[in-house]
Amino acid sequence: MLDKKVTLNTLRAKKGKEKIVAITAYDALMAKIFDGEVDVILVGDSLKMSFGGENETLRANLDEMIYHTKAVCAGTKYSFVLGDMPFGTYATKKMALTNALRYYKECNVDALKIEVDSNKIDVVKALCTEGIAVMAHIGLKPQFMRFEGGFKVKGKNEVEENELIESAIAMQEAGAFGILCEGIKASVAQKITQSVQIPTIGIGAGVHCDGQILVWSDAFGFFDAFKPKFVRQYCDGKDMLKNAVRNYANDVKNAVFPSDNESY
Ligand code: KIV
Protein backbone atom coordinates (compact mmCIF):
# COMPACT_ATOMS: atom_id res chain seq x y z
CA MET A 1 0.00 0.00 0.00
CA LEU A 2 1.45 3.38 -1.01
CA ASP A 3 1.74 6.10 1.63
CA LYS A 4 2.73 8.94 -0.71
CA LYS A 5 1.16 10.37 -3.85
CA VAL A 6 2.70 8.91 -7.03
CA THR A 7 4.09 11.64 -9.27
CA LEU A 8 5.77 11.73 -12.66
CA ASN A 9 9.11 11.55 -10.86
CA THR A 10 8.05 8.39 -8.99
CA LEU A 11 7.20 6.75 -12.32
CA ARG A 12 10.40 7.94 -14.01
CA ALA A 13 12.50 6.64 -11.10
CA LYS A 14 11.02 3.15 -11.46
CA LYS A 15 12.35 2.69 -15.01
CA GLY A 16 14.51 -0.44 -15.10
CA LYS A 17 14.33 -0.81 -11.30
CA GLU A 18 10.83 -1.58 -10.11
CA LYS A 19 7.75 -2.53 -12.14
CA ILE A 20 4.93 0.00 -12.48
CA VAL A 21 1.49 -1.40 -11.67
CA ALA A 22 -1.51 0.14 -13.43
CA ILE A 23 -5.21 -0.63 -13.76
CA THR A 24 -8.27 1.13 -15.17
CA ALA A 25 -11.16 2.55 -13.15
CA TYR A 26 -14.18 4.56 -14.22
CA ASP A 27 -15.74 5.67 -10.93
CA ALA A 28 -14.89 6.72 -7.39
CA LEU A 29 -16.04 3.42 -5.85
CA MET A 30 -13.48 1.32 -7.75
CA ALA A 31 -10.84 4.05 -7.58
CA LYS A 32 -11.06 3.98 -3.77
CA ILE A 33 -10.45 0.23 -3.76
CA PHE A 34 -7.48 0.44 -6.15
CA ASP A 35 -5.99 3.65 -4.73
CA GLY A 36 -2.59 3.07 -3.17
CA GLU A 37 -2.51 -0.57 -4.30
CA VAL A 38 -1.40 0.42 -7.82
CA ASP A 39 0.87 3.19 -9.08
CA VAL A 40 -1.41 4.35 -11.89
CA ILE A 41 -5.18 4.42 -12.41
CA LEU A 42 -6.20 4.98 -16.03
CA VAL A 43 -9.66 6.32 -16.79
CA GLY A 44 -9.61 4.59 -20.16
CA ASP A 45 -12.07 5.07 -22.97
CA SER A 46 -12.40 1.27 -22.61
CA LEU A 47 -15.22 2.36 -20.30
CA LYS A 48 -17.39 2.38 -23.43
CA MET A 49 -16.90 -1.40 -23.70
CA SER A 50 -16.51 -2.46 -20.12
CA PHE A 51 -18.97 -0.01 -18.55
CA GLY A 52 -21.11 1.03 -21.52
CA GLY A 53 -21.69 -2.37 -23.14
CA GLU A 54 -20.46 -1.25 -26.58
CA ASN A 55 -18.13 -3.27 -28.80
CA GLU A 56 -15.54 -0.53 -29.37
CA THR A 57 -14.25 2.67 -27.75
CA LEU A 58 -14.89 5.18 -30.54
CA ARG A 59 -18.13 6.68 -29.24
CA ALA A 60 -16.61 7.98 -26.00
CA ASN A 61 -16.80 11.76 -25.90
CA LEU A 62 -14.98 14.40 -23.90
CA ASP A 63 -17.90 15.22 -21.58
CA GLU A 64 -18.21 11.54 -20.63
CA MET A 65 -14.47 11.19 -20.05
CA ILE A 66 -14.47 14.31 -17.88
CA TYR A 67 -17.42 13.01 -15.84
CA HIS A 68 -15.73 9.65 -15.17
CA THR A 69 -12.28 11.17 -14.60
CA LYS A 70 -13.67 13.59 -11.99
CA ALA A 71 -15.23 10.63 -10.20
CA VAL A 72 -11.96 8.66 -10.24
CA CYS A 73 -9.98 11.68 -9.05
CA ALA A 74 -12.50 12.11 -6.21
CA GLY A 75 -11.80 8.53 -5.10
CA THR A 76 -8.03 8.68 -5.41
CA LYS A 77 -5.46 10.06 -3.02
CA TYR A 78 -2.20 8.19 -3.73
CA SER A 79 -2.25 6.66 -7.22
CA PHE A 80 -1.32 8.66 -10.32
CA VAL A 81 -4.47 9.32 -12.37
CA LEU A 82 -4.25 9.20 -16.14
CA GLY A 83 -7.10 10.48 -18.32
CA ASP A 84 -7.73 9.14 -21.83
CA MET A 85 -8.35 11.56 -24.71
CA PRO A 86 -11.30 10.12 -26.65
CA PHE A 87 -11.42 9.47 -30.41
CA GLY A 88 -11.60 12.60 -32.54
CA THR A 89 -10.61 15.05 -29.82
CA TYR A 90 -6.97 15.39 -30.96
CA ALA A 91 -7.36 15.14 -34.73
CA THR A 92 -5.49 18.43 -35.19
CA LYS A 93 -3.01 20.31 -33.02
CA LYS A 94 -5.57 23.04 -32.35
CA MET A 95 -8.33 20.61 -31.35
CA ALA A 96 -5.90 18.65 -29.20
CA LEU A 97 -4.83 21.77 -27.33
CA THR A 98 -8.39 23.04 -26.76
CA ASN A 99 -9.69 19.66 -25.60
CA ALA A 100 -6.67 18.59 -23.58
CA LEU A 101 -6.48 21.91 -21.73
CA ARG A 102 -10.17 21.61 -20.82
CA TYR A 103 -9.79 17.97 -19.70
CA TYR A 104 -6.59 18.67 -17.71
CA LYS A 105 -7.98 21.73 -15.94
CA GLU A 106 -11.52 20.52 -15.20
CA CYS A 107 -10.42 17.17 -13.76
CA ASN A 108 -7.21 18.00 -11.97
CA VAL A 109 -5.90 14.79 -13.55
CA ASP A 110 -2.15 13.97 -13.39
CA ALA A 111 -1.63 13.28 -17.10
CA LEU A 112 -3.42 12.49 -20.35
CA LYS A 113 -2.98 9.58 -22.75
CA ILE A 114 -3.37 9.72 -26.52
CA GLU A 115 -3.17 7.01 -29.17
CA VAL A 116 -0.36 7.94 -31.56
CA ASP A 117 2.04 7.02 -34.30
CA SER A 118 4.71 9.16 -35.93
CA ASN A 119 1.98 11.32 -37.53
CA LYS A 120 1.10 12.73 -34.13
CA ILE A 121 4.53 14.01 -33.04
CA ASP A 122 3.41 17.65 -33.44
CA VAL A 123 0.31 17.04 -31.29
CA VAL A 124 2.35 15.50 -28.44
CA LYS A 125 4.87 18.32 -28.70
CA ALA A 126 2.13 20.98 -28.61
CA LEU A 127 0.51 19.50 -25.48
CA CYS A 128 3.84 19.06 -23.68
CA THR A 129 4.83 22.63 -24.58
CA GLU A 130 1.68 23.83 -22.78
CA GLY A 131 2.64 21.85 -19.67
CA ILE A 132 0.37 18.85 -20.12
CA ALA A 133 1.98 15.54 -19.12
CA VAL A 134 1.36 13.11 -21.97
CA MET A 135 1.56 9.35 -22.21
CA ALA A 136 1.88 8.12 -25.81
CA HIS A 137 -0.14 4.96 -26.58
CA ILE A 138 1.41 2.97 -29.45
CA GLY A 139 0.92 -0.43 -31.08
CA LEU A 140 -2.62 -1.74 -31.11
CA LYS A 141 -4.72 1.41 -30.97
CA PRO A 142 -8.33 0.59 -30.12
CA GLN A 143 -9.46 3.92 -31.62
CA PHE A 144 -8.27 2.57 -35.03
CA MET A 145 -10.40 -0.56 -34.68
CA ARG A 146 -12.87 0.35 -37.45
CA PHE A 147 -10.12 1.65 -39.75
CA GLU A 148 -8.02 -1.50 -39.34
CA GLY A 149 -10.95 -3.91 -39.32
CA GLY A 150 -10.38 -5.25 -35.81
CA PHE A 151 -7.92 -5.27 -32.94
CA LYS A 152 -4.58 -6.07 -34.59
CA VAL A 153 -1.40 -7.09 -32.75
CA LYS A 154 1.59 -5.04 -33.96
CA GLY A 155 5.31 -5.65 -34.43
CA LYS A 156 4.85 -8.82 -36.45
CA ASN A 157 7.31 -7.82 -39.19
CA GLU A 158 10.42 -5.69 -39.54
CA VAL A 159 8.61 -2.66 -40.99
CA GLU A 160 6.17 -2.55 -38.05
CA GLU A 161 8.98 -3.17 -35.58
CA ASN A 162 11.04 -0.26 -36.91
CA GLU A 163 8.00 2.03 -37.07
CA LEU A 164 7.14 1.24 -33.42
CA ILE A 165 10.67 1.81 -32.13
CA GLU A 166 11.01 5.04 -34.14
CA SER A 167 7.61 6.27 -32.91
CA ALA A 168 8.54 5.59 -29.29
CA ILE A 169 11.81 7.51 -29.64
CA ALA A 170 10.02 10.37 -31.43
CA MET A 171 7.40 10.52 -28.64
CA GLN A 172 10.13 10.72 -26.02
CA GLU A 173 11.77 13.55 -27.97
CA ALA A 174 8.40 15.31 -28.30
CA GLY A 175 8.15 15.34 -24.50
CA ALA A 176 5.98 12.31 -23.63
CA PHE A 177 6.69 11.09 -20.09
CA GLY A 178 5.86 7.47 -20.89
CA ILE A 179 4.85 5.01 -23.59
CA LEU A 180 1.88 2.69 -23.35
CA CYS A 181 2.56 -0.40 -25.48
CA GLU A 182 -0.63 -2.26 -26.38
CA GLY A 183 -0.82 -5.49 -28.38
CA ILE A 184 2.84 -5.57 -29.39
CA LYS A 185 4.99 -8.69 -29.85
CA ALA A 186 6.91 -9.19 -26.61
CA SER A 187 10.35 -9.10 -28.25
CA VAL A 188 9.49 -5.78 -29.96
CA ALA A 189 8.10 -4.24 -26.75
CA GLN A 190 11.38 -5.26 -25.09
CA LYS A 191 13.36 -3.41 -27.79
CA ILE A 192 11.10 -0.34 -27.39
CA THR A 193 11.65 -0.42 -23.62
CA GLN A 194 15.42 -0.61 -24.15
CA SER A 195 15.36 2.19 -26.75
CA VAL A 196 13.80 4.89 -24.55
CA GLN A 197 14.70 6.42 -21.20
CA ILE A 198 11.04 6.96 -20.27
CA PRO A 199 8.94 4.15 -18.72
CA THR A 200 6.87 1.81 -20.87
CA ILE A 201 3.65 0.25 -19.60
CA GLY A 202 2.43 -2.80 -21.46
CA ILE A 203 -0.89 -4.49 -22.10
CA GLY A 204 -0.60 -7.58 -24.28
CA ALA A 205 3.04 -6.62 -24.84
CA GLY A 206 4.97 -9.19 -22.81
CA VAL A 207 6.83 -9.06 -19.54
CA HIS A 208 9.73 -6.77 -20.49
CA CYS A 209 7.86 -3.44 -20.31
CA ASP A 210 8.58 -1.28 -17.28
CA GLY A 211 5.05 -1.89 -16.04
CA GLN A 212 1.74 -3.57 -16.81
CA ILE A 213 -1.85 -2.39 -17.08
CA LEU A 214 -5.12 -4.33 -17.24
CA VAL A 215 -8.72 -3.23 -17.65
CA TRP A 216 -10.24 -3.81 -14.22
CA SER A 217 -13.34 -5.65 -15.41
CA ASP A 218 -11.11 -8.12 -17.34
CA ALA A 219 -8.71 -8.61 -14.43
CA PHE A 220 -11.46 -9.31 -11.91
CA GLY A 221 -13.79 -11.38 -14.05
CA PHE A 222 -16.65 -8.99 -14.64
CA PHE A 223 -16.33 -8.66 -18.44
CA ASP A 224 -17.06 -11.86 -20.30
CA ALA A 225 -18.01 -10.76 -23.83
CA PHE A 226 -14.57 -12.05 -24.87
CA LYS A 227 -11.26 -12.81 -23.13
CA PRO A 228 -8.10 -11.65 -24.86
CA LYS A 229 -5.05 -13.96 -24.57
CA PHE A 230 -3.13 -11.39 -22.51
CA VAL A 231 -5.69 -11.14 -19.69
CA ARG A 232 -5.05 -12.90 -16.39
CA GLN A 233 -8.22 -13.09 -14.28
CA TYR A 234 -7.54 -12.54 -10.58
CA CYS A 235 -11.05 -13.30 -9.31
CA ASP A 236 -14.41 -14.40 -10.52
CA GLY A 237 -16.20 -11.11 -9.89
CA LYS A 238 -19.24 -11.74 -12.04
CA ASP A 239 -20.13 -15.09 -10.42
CA MET A 240 -19.42 -13.72 -6.95
CA LEU A 241 -21.79 -10.81 -7.49
CA LYS A 242 -24.42 -12.95 -9.24
CA ASN A 243 -24.52 -15.23 -6.20
CA ALA A 244 -24.75 -12.24 -3.88
CA VAL A 245 -27.63 -10.65 -5.81
CA ARG A 246 -29.45 -14.01 -5.88
CA ASN A 247 -29.05 -14.31 -2.10
CA TYR A 248 -30.43 -10.79 -1.70
CA ALA A 249 -33.38 -11.54 -4.00
CA ASN A 250 -34.16 -14.75 -2.08
CA ASP A 251 -34.01 -12.96 1.26
CA VAL A 252 -36.43 -10.28 0.01
CA LYS A 253 -38.81 -12.85 -1.52
CA ASN A 254 -38.77 -14.95 1.66
CA ALA A 255 -39.29 -11.86 3.86
CA VAL A 256 -36.09 -12.57 5.86
CA PHE A 257 -34.63 -9.20 4.87
CA PRO A 258 -34.81 -6.78 6.59
CA SER A 259 -34.58 -8.34 10.06
CA ASP A 260 -35.53 -6.50 13.27
CA ASN A 261 -31.90 -5.40 13.60
CA GLU A 262 -32.04 -3.86 10.16
CA SER A 263 -35.28 -2.00 10.84
CA TYR A 264 -36.10 1.26 12.70
O1 KIV B 1 -8.87 2.65 -22.63
C1 KIV B 1 -8.14 1.87 -22.00
O2 KIV B 1 -8.53 1.27 -20.99
C2 KIV B 1 -6.79 1.66 -22.49
C3 KIV B 1 -6.09 0.46 -21.97
C4 KIV B 1 -6.48 -0.72 -22.77
C5 KIV B 1 -4.64 0.65 -21.91
O3 KIV B 1 -6.32 2.39 -23.30
Side-chain angles (χ1 to χ4, degrees):
M1 175 78 190
L2 303 170
D3 58 2
K4 266 205 318 229
K5 168 77 185 166
V6 176
T7 65
L8 274 186
N9 287 338
T10 324
L11 299 177
R12 285 190 188 113
K14 283 182 181 258
K15 170 98 189 168
K17 295 199 180 84
E18 211 183 306
K19 294 281 189 187
I20 296 170
V21 185
I23 195 141
T24 66
Y26 314 119
D27 55 56
L29 199 65
M30 286 298 148
K32 269 188 192 154
I33 297 172
F34 304 150
D35 186 33
E37 305 292 342
V38 297
D39 300 299
V40 179
I41 297 180
L42 166 69
V43 192
D45 60 0
S46 55
L47 67 83
K48 271 287 160 192
M49 298 174 72
S50 134
F51 202 86
E54 300 193 12
N55 64 359
E56 52 167 36
T57 60
L58 277 75
R59 278 154 45 88
N61 65 45
L62 192 58
D63 289 336
E64 289 168 335
M65 293 309 297
I66 288 175
Y67 171 83
H68 286 278
T69 305
K70 278 183 180 168
V72 168
C73 287
T76 308
K77 192 168 161 198
Y78 299 110
S79 301
F80 185 92
V81 182
L82 186 58
D84 207 4
M85 291 284 285
F87 178 66
T89 57
Y90 51 96
T92 64
K93 220 160 70 172
K94 190 162 178 273
M95 281 172 83
L97 270 176
T98 308
N99 291 322
L101 284 169
R102 177 176 165 221
Y103 196 169
Y104 211 50
K105 282 171 84 164
E106 282 188 30
C107 296
N108 208 15
V109 71
D110 294 307
L112 297 177
K113 173 172 88 57
I114 62 175
E115 296 183 12
V116 297
D117 53 30
S118 39
N119 297 318
K120 283 275 183 277
I121 297 172
D122 60 336
V123 168
V124 173
K125 203 180 253 175
L127 300 187
C128 294
T129 304
E130 287 311 309
I132 297 171
V134 175
M135 170 158 261
H137 179 153
I138 64 170
L140 186 162
K141 293 173 289 177
Q143 292 176 8
F144 279 68
M145 190 256 194
R146 283 189 210 164
F147 182 78
E148 294 185 347
F151 296 115
K152 308 278 189 218
V153 173
K154 295 290 161 60
K156 285 184 159 171
N157 56 52
E158 213 180 308
V159 176
E160 282 185 7
E161 173 174 333
N162 291 338
E163 149 72 9
L164 285 166
I165 296 172
E166 279 161 24
S167 289
I169 295 171
M171 291 304 146
Q172 170 177 268
E173 281 166 6
F177 78 88
I179 308 283
L180 192 138
C181 297
E182 176 163 4
I184 297 177
K185 248 186 99 189
S187 57
V188 177
Q190 181 175 21
K191 286 185 192 164
I192 295 169
T193 301
Q194 289 164 346
S195 305
V196 292
Q197 281 84 52
I198 54 179
T200 60
I201 297 184
I203 175 162
V207 76
H208 301 292
C209 292
D210 296 306
Q212 297 291 329
I213 183 163
L214 281 175
V215 170
W216 84 263
S217 45
D218 291 338
F220 305 130
F222 284 90
F223 182 81
D224 64 353
F226 58 91
K227 184 178 174 297
K229 174 180 170 163
F230 61 81
V231 169
R232 186 177 294 176
Q233 197 179 303
Y234 286 88
C235 71
D236 213 342
K238 198 188 91 188
D239 287 348
M240 215 171 63
L241 210 52
K242 259 244 180 281
N243 281 337
V245 76
R246 279 189 188 141
N247 288 341
Y248 166 60
N250 283 336
D251 285 356
V252 171
K253 285 177 196 157
N254 295 322
V256 294
F257 173 80
S259 63
D260 286 348
N261 281 344
E262 290 153 336
S263 304
Y264 295 106

